[in-house]
Amino acid sequence: MPPQLQGVLVPHWILMRDPRVEPFAAKRWVEARGDPDRFIEVSFEWITKNVSFCTDQNCFGQDEFVQMPAETLTSGYGDCDCSALSLVSVLWLRGVPSHMVFGYVGNSSHRWVEAFYKHEWWVFDTTTGGRFLASQALKRGYEKLFEVTPFSVRPSFLPVPLPLP
């Protein structure tokens, strides 16, 4: 018998549209003085310093659970998908091109963010605090499966995003 699930399963692209993160985004935007690259930096740094990694089993008593971005920012804990989801949600509110990546690092499932930063795509790993050019991801062991934005899902092998309902 499958384990009991609590709550409602909602696609990640819907969770990214959490309007309750607007005050957080507004504060980071002011700190960044309206500069999109600096906005990415201050948002990423805040999340990596203030959101502690906690497995779904330890935090929520479930094998898989994803909080709404505002809940992650308020509670200060979550796993890789919670923190990555929060960063993308914040960045999209200020028009910063970004997406959450579903993939693997080594043999472990992992989520991270790619954002357009300093005129190139960069990886921002909210769990480890690592950031580097996305073109170096595979060499660093980051293998992409899907990219998810608040409005599209794209398998890594397709050149064009899939439209969502």
Side-chain angles (χ1 to χ4, degrees):
M1 173 178 264
Q4 279 283 32
L5 291 178
Q6 297 174 3
V8 177
L9 295 176
V10 178
H12 286 77
W13 61 272
I14 291 176
L15 296 176
M16 288 177 182
R17 299 181 192 182
D18 187 350
R20 297 172 301 158
V21 302
E22 173 55 36
F24 176 90
K27 188 171 184 178
R28 302 292 89 73
W29 187 253
V30 168
E31 289 172 16
R33 295 180 291 294
D35 177 86
D37 286 342
R38 184 72 186 126
F39 176 65
I40 294 169
E41 292 169 2
V42 298
S43 299
F44 174 67
E45 289 167 8
W46 192 96
I47 290 171
T48 58
K49 288 179 184 170
N50 294 287
V51 176
S52 299
F53 180 82
C54 184
T55 67
D56 289 336
Q57 195 58 246
N58 287 340
C59 283
F60 309 108
Q62 297 183 49
D63 290 336
E64 184 57 42
F65 185 86
V66 182
Q67 296 186 99
M68 293 292 289
E71 293 164 349
T72 300
L73 297 174
T74 302
S75 70
Y77 59 82
D79 65 359
C80 60
D81 51 4
C82 292
S83 59
L85 191 66
S86 298
L87 181 58
V88 171
S89 181
V90 167
L91 296 180
W92 269 80
L93 281 170
R94 291 296 179 268
V96 174
S98 57
H99 49 261
M100 182 170 75
V101 177
F102 282 63
Y104 285 87
V105 175
N107 292 328
S108 298
S109 174
H110 192 49
R111 310 294 178 263
W112 62 91
V113 173
E114 289 183 350
F116 199 69
Y117 173 72
K118 298 188 178 190
H119 309 290
E120 297 185 75
W121 285 97
W122 282 65
V123 167
F124 291 87
D125 188 330
T126 54
T127 303
T128 67
R131 61 178 163 183
F132 49 87
L133 284 168
S135 60
Q136 298 174 355
L138 199 53
K139 283 195 300 191
R140 292 175 177 251
Y142 287 69
E143 185 178 351
K144 264 194 219 190
L145 294 178
F146 291 92
E147 297 172 355
V148 181
T149 76
F151 303 99
S152 67
V153 176
R154 183 175 78 85
S156 63
F157 55 85
L158 288 180
V160 179
L162 299 173
L164 294 172

